[in-house]
């Protein structure tokens, strides 16, 4: 099949979150399975400044080849994309995001045509590309080049929908009639993700449980109705993990490498983490690790509300994260109070994240909702048993045989589950059994890619 990915971020070119990991890794896995893939993304400042082997098409479009032969085409417009940030600054989103991404969507379709890519499927991601399925079904409905092209939109997090004032609808280049309650209108505003959902042939999200949850009032963020209407076309495919980066047997960022057969390195990593965090070095004290955006979604309220009682237990707690200022402040106060067994690192630090995954015994991920989640997949591979709230991708990947799950979103349930984990930690044989299940779990991209091929085939037939 001929597949074209359109996305606002792709690793290693530009990344603000998990979306870039997916759009960077999935095309490679698809190519390995024999599919032809191309990618189109904006030509941001960080891309222009990156050390990539740029080439140019006859039409003057910059591109880079990744994998064997995946061309990543860049939509250039310096006024829109040559900025320090992708979507906005710490003070808020850029005011011209509708203009920027409408331009990106239109230009992406032009480039696809110019370069003769002739896609069976255009795979769109999140609100930034929500206009593409709409263009295919409206303005381009009679375009012979796109006659057989179908679209699939992946929702990476329904919490971000691309909302704009209705007076700007003309910027989309669509006729005003498409601003209606079935398509782009959302409580009197423009909603690009809603339009993308309405016009795509297939819709999916990044875990089976989340695909059901987004159709409920509780986690549908107001789009549950539109999604339920399309429920026959809504799927969930778990994201994969890039084991070439996340594998304790090959990880150069940790003090000692280890595997299931040679777990001997893990205590070394624990010691190294304790030293790095200036905590007492003691192999027998369990370390609870957190690596997270400090955002409401990630359950930081629950964590901070329970933190005092957690730190009264015989354990050590390490939190690495950045995010909302209110959590920075709250955590700093708690860190001052519980400095004996709580280390707080308010920064984004890739190397330290690796050390925490390797050196911890338990990895806490009490997310309120979680479309897929990477942290728990990484911690499973590193034999640091994840302790999670039963939601979204966490519910699909963690269970009582490879970690710990709490089902009621309360401090009490969270603390009880921590208590159960600590009891098991004191029983090395049982702990090893869980660790074995965790480290053997396979969440590679190959499995996800096969799931996507299945969806592309469904879209082709639609
Ligand atoms: P998100 O919703 O933030 O994308 P995921 O669990 O899907 O959550 O992925 C988060 C990724 O970002 C993981 O790889 C995690 O290790 C990494 N990460 C989060 N915060 C930090 C940090 N402060 N320093 C280093 N890595 C981080």
């Amino acid at each position: 099949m001929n597949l074209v990915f359109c996305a606002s971020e792709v690793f290693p070119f530009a990344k603000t979150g998990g979306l870039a990991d997916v759009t960077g890794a999935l095309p490679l896995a698809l190519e390995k399975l024999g599919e032809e893939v191309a990618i189109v993304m904006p030509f941001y400042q960080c891309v222009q400044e990156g050390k990539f082997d740029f080439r140019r098409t006859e039409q003057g479009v910059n591109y880079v080849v990744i994998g064997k032969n995946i061309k990543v085409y860049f939509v250039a417009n310096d006024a829109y994309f040559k900025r320090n940030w992708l979507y906005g600054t710490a003070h808020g989103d850029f005011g011209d995001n509708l203009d920027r991404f409408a331009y990106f969507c239109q230009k992406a379709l032009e480039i696809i045509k110019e370069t003769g890519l002739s896609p069976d499927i255009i795979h769109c991601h999140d609100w930034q590309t929500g206009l593409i399925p709409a263009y295919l079904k409206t303005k381009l409905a009679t375009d012979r080049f796109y006659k057989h092209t179908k679209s699939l939109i992946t929702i990476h997090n329904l919490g971000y929908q691309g909302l704009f004032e209705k007076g700007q609808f003309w910027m989309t280049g669509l006729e005003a009639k498409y601003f209606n309650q079935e398509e782009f209108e959302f409580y009197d505003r423009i909603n690009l993700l809603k339009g993308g959902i309405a016009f795509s042939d297939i819709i999916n999200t990044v875990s089976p449980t989340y695909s059901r949850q987004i159709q409920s009032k509780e986690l549908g963020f107001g789009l549950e109705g539109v999604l339920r209407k399309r429920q026959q076309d809504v799927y969930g495919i778990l994201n994969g993990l890039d084991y070439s980066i996340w594998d304790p047997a090959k990880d150069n960022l940790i003090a000692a490498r280890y595997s299931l057969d040679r777990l001997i390195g893990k205590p070394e990593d624990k010691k190294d983490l304790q030293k790095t965090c200036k905590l007492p070095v003691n192999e027998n004290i369990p370390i609870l690790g957190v690596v997270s955006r400090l955002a409401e979604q990630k359950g930081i309220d629950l964590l901070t509300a329970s933190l005092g009682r957690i730190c009264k237990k015989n354990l050590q707690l390490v939190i690495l994260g950045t995010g909302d200022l209110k959590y920075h402040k709250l955590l700093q106060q708690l860190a001052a109070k519980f400095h004996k067994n709580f280390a707080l690192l308010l920064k984004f630090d890739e190397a330290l994240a690796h050390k925490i995954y390797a050196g911890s015994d338990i990895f806490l991920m009490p997310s309120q909702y979680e479309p897929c989640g990477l942290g728990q997949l990484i911690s499973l591979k590193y034999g640091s048993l994840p302790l999670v709230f039963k939601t979204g991708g966490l519910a699909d990947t963690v269970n009582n045989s490879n970690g710990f799950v709490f089902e009621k979103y309360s401090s009490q349930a969270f603390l009880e589950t921590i208590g159960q984990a600590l009891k098991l930690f004191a029983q090395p044989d049982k702990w090893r059994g869980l660790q074995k299940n965790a480290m053997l779990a396979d969440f590679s991209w190959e499995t996800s890619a096969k799931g996507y091929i299945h969806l592309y085939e469904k879209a082709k037939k639609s």
Side-chain angles (χ1 to χ4, degrees):
M1 257 178 300
N2 251 308
L3 310 167
V4 177
F5 276 52
C6 290
S8 58
E9 49 184 280
V10 179
F11 182 81
F13 303 101
K15 172 172 168 171
T16 67
L19 162 64
D21 291 320
V22 177
T23 53
L26 179 57
L28 298 172
L30 288 164
E31 185 182 54
K32 280 194 189 137
L33 292 172
E35 307 298 344
E36 281 189 36
V37 195
I39 302 174
V40 188
M41 68 171 287
F43 201 34
Y44 298 113
Q45 182 166 317
C46 59
V47 181
Q48 297 184 29
E49 289 172 352
K51 290 203 173 73
F52 303 111
D53 183 12
F54 289 109
R55 302 172 200 189
R56 242 167 204 263
T57 64
E58 275 172 25
Q59 296 80 15
V61 178
N62 288 300
Y63 71 94
V64 169
V65 177
I66 60 167
K68 265 203 210 119
N69 191 26
I70 298 173
K71 295 195 173 87
V72 184
Y73 296 95
F74 298 102
V75 173
N77 182 324
D78 283 354
Y80 286 150
F81 302 126
K82 201 170 177 194
R83 301 182 186 178
N84 279 330
W85 309 90
L86 267 50
Y87 313 121
T89 65
H91 302 290
D93 288 346
F94 292 134
D96 59 351
N97 273 348
L98 178 60
D99 218 2
R100 296 171 78 220
F101 288 100
Y103 177 84
F104 170 68
C105 292
Q106 288 170 15
K107 229 27 201 182
L109 289 164
E110 274 174 41
I111 289 176
I112 292 169
K113 195 168 169 180
E114 272 171 22
T115 42
L117 287 168
S118 113
D120 295 300
I121 309 289
I122 299 186
H123 188 161
C124 303
H125 298 266
D126 281 349
W127 66 263
Q128 292 89 343
T129 51
L131 284 166
I132 290 177
Y135 292 149
L136 288 173
K137 289 252 164 69
T138 58
K139 293 202 304 183
L140 299 173
T142 52
D143 188 314
R144 284 184 55 204
F145 180 83
Y146 282 115
K147 199 168 167 207
H148 300 292
T149 302
K150 303 287 180 170
S151 60
L152 180 149
I153 190 159
T154 299
I155 302 166
H156 295 264
N157 189 336
L158 198 62
Y160 303 91
Q161 301 182 354
L163 297 174
F164 303 95
E165 294 314 314
K166 68 175 173 185
Q168 296 184 309
F169 194 73
W170 62 271
M171 285 183 188
T172 64
L174 290 169
E175 286 178 57
K177 66 179 182 188
Y178 296 111
F179 185 73
N180 67 63
Q181 282 184 12
E182 305 292 307
E183 288 154 344
F184 281 97
E185 184 180 352
F186 185 74
Y187 298 102
D188 215 29
R189 300 178 83 192
I190 304 166
N191 184 323
L192 290 188
L193 186 62
K194 181 175 177 180
I197 292 167
F199 284 102
S200 286
D201 293 295
I202 297 274
I203 301 128
N204 91 297
T205 182
V206 289
S207 70
T209 296
Y210 192 59
S211 75
R212 293 188 292 276
Q213 288 177 321
I214 56 175
Q215 297 179 53
S216 72
K217 192 162 171 38
E218 199 192 353
L219 289 179
F221 287 97
L223 291 186
E224 61 274 12
V226 180
L227 286 159
R228 269 208 300 268
K229 208 162 166 194
R230 298 286 317 270
Q231 63 180 306
Q232 299 301 326
D233 303 315
V234 178
Y235 296 87
I237 298 182
L238 265 183
N239 285 336
L241 181 64
D242 187 344
Y243 289 121
S244 70
I245 298 172
W246 298 107
D247 181 354
K250 300 181 198 145
D251 194 331
N252 287 323
L253 296 172
I254 59 178
R257 284 178 277 289
Y258 63 93
S259 60
L260 186 58
D261 304 332
R262 285 185 51 82
L263 266 175
I264 186 101
K266 194 162 169 65
E268 288 301 309
D269 289 312
K270 182 166 180 174
K271 206 189 284 178
D272 177 55
L273 180 61
Q274 286 168 326
K275 279 188 191 156
T276 307
C277 296
K278 300 189 176 63
L279 290 168
V281 174
N282 182 341
E283 197 185 316
N284 298 320
I285 292 188
I287 303 187
L288 278 55
V290 176
V291 180
S292 180
R293 272 190 295 124
L294 300 178
E296 195 185 347
Q297 180 211 333
K298 297 292 176 182
I300 309 302
D301 288 309
L302 189 66
L303 189 61
T304 47
S306 318
L307 202 138
R309 278 169 290 169
I310 294 175
C311 288
K312 291 220 172 84
K313 296 177 192 280
N314 184 28
L315 51 74
Q316 294 174 341
L317 176 65
V318 176
I319 299 183
L320 168 65
T322 52
D324 293 357
L325 224 50
K326 68 170 181 182
Y327 295 128
H328 283 223
K329 284 187 188 147
L330 191 52
L331 283 165
Q332 271 167 332
Q333 286 165 9
L334 291 162
K337 202 164 164 193
F338 299 103
H339 60 91
K340 281 194 187 129
N341 60 343
F342 171 29
L344 175 66
L345 305 125
L346 293 175
K347 56 181 173 175
F348 193 96
D349 187 331
E350 194 74 35
L352 191 51
H354 282 248
K355 281 181 191 283
I356 294 174
Y357 287 114
S360 303
D361 297 293
I362 297 166
F363 187 78
L364 300 181
M365 209 160 159
S367 308
Q368 284 177 3
Y369 77 92
E370 193 58 80
C372 176
L374 267 184
Q376 86 282 16
L377 301 183
I378 301 171
S379 67
L380 284 168
K381 184 68 184 172
Y382 282 69
S384 307
L385 302 183
L387 190 155
V388 306
F389 177 54
K390 190 175 181 179
T391 185
L394 299 174
D396 293 329
T397 52
V398 182
N399 54 54
N400 291 331
S401 71
N402 63 11
F404 307 94
V405 183
F406 62 103
E407 297 194 15
K408 191 163 176 267
Y409 203 77
S410 68
S411 270
Q412 194 191 343
F414 183 40
L415 286 160
E416 273 171 20
T417 311
I418 291 177
Q420 286 158 15
L422 297 177
K423 256 192 206 148
L424 272 173
F425 181 75
Q427 303 171 62
D429 284 350
K430 285 196 179 155
W431 194 260
R432 287 277 170 279
L434 291 179
Q435 252 182 341
K436 186 174 172 197
N437 295 338
M439 294 177 81
L440 285 176
D442 179 11
F443 294 106
S444 60
W445 271 108
E446 191 184 335
T447 316
S448 311
K450 284 180 182 159
Y452 275 101
I453 290 173
H454 192 62
L455 286 196
Y456 299 146
E457 274 160 4
K458 270 191 195 297
K460 255 180 94 171
K461 286 190 205 131
S462 65

